[in-house]
Amino acid sequence: MFSKEEAQQLKKEFWTAFGKSFPRKWILYNTKIKDFSFKFYADKKKAEVSLDIEMKDEVFRDAYYNKIWSLEDILKDFIGDFHKEEFYSLENGKVISRIWVEKEGISVFNKNTWQETFEFFVEKMDGFERFYYEYEDFIKDV
């Protein structure tokens, strides 16, 4: 296994390599909706691309989640099959709503899976972004 420092260095190399391989400005936090963001995630077992709805006010979080959920079939056309959880608990105990796609069998610590991970990230985040841009006005109208 890796020491903590080696693991941190490898993670840094992973994200740097991703940025260099696919230089692009992603929406991520720039949705113009507070606490509504797209995220990349990778660890030693899987990679994820998610839409996190993190409003503290449960009424607003629920409203945005239901807006996205009302477009379920359309979203599936953009990103394929996905997971959803209206009350998703983060490691820190915070409850959010999350919609995500994941790819298992890859590792941020295995350079042989990096390209496959990067391609997954690009394909799925591009789908999320195209969906968002297409339905942005509808989603924002809460």
Side-chain angles (χ1 to χ4, degrees):
M1 287 311 312
F2 301 101
S3 71
K4 186 175 181 179
E5 293 78 22
E6 289 171 326
Q8 287 176 331
Q9 181 60 34
L10 208 47
K11 286 179 184 178
K12 183 178 177 184
E13 287 177 30
F14 172 85
W15 292 110
T16 300
F18 175 57
K20 287 181 179 177
S21 297
F22 296 93
R24 177 174 164 182
K25 179 85 170 126
W26 302 99
I27 294 176
L28 302 179
Y29 296 94
N30 196 22
T31 61
K32 309 288 192 275
I33 302 172
K34 186 174 177 3
D35 297 325
F36 185 100
S37 57
F38 296 97
K39 296 182 180 174
F40 292 111
Y41 173 80
D43 64 18
K44 63 184 179 182
K45 295 181 180 179
K46 66 183 177 202
E48 295 178 352
V49 178
S50 67
L51 166 57
D52 288 1
I53 306 169
E54 303 182 64
M55 288 98 185
K56 288 180 182 135
D57 186 324
E58 199 172 311
V59 172
F60 279 107
R61 190 176 72 235
D62 184 60
Y64 282 109
Y65 178 81
N66 284 318
K67 280 276 190 164
I68 300 296
W69 188 233
S70 73
L71 301 169
E72 172 190 11
D73 291 334
I74 296 167
L75 178 58
K76 195 176 283 190
D77 289 341
F78 282 90
I79 65 170
D81 289 333
F82 58 87
H83 305 277
K84 64 179 181 0
E85 200 165 322
E86 187 172 2
F87 302 102
Y88 185 94
S89 294
L90 299 175
E91 287 181 14
N92 65 7
K94 182 177 180 181
V95 175
I96 68 169
S97 294
R98 176 175 278 178
I99 297 168
W100 77 98
V101 290
E102 65 184 25
K103 183 171 189 65
E104 294 186 355
I106 60 87
S107 174
V108 72
F109 300 119
N110 180 352
K111 289 185 178 184
N112 294 327
T113 65
W114 284 10
Q115 187 63 33
E116 182 180 357
T117 305
F118 298 163
E119 290 170 5
F120 168 77
F121 279 165
V122 169
E123 176 190 345
K124 299 306 180 180
M125 186 61 81
D126 182 70
F128 263 127
E129 287 186 340
R130 286 184 295 111
F131 166 79
Y132 181 73
Y133 284 133
E134 183 80 23
Y135 296 94
E136 182 176 6
D137 292 338
F138 173 76
I139 293 167
K140 285 181 174 179
D141 186 26
V142 169

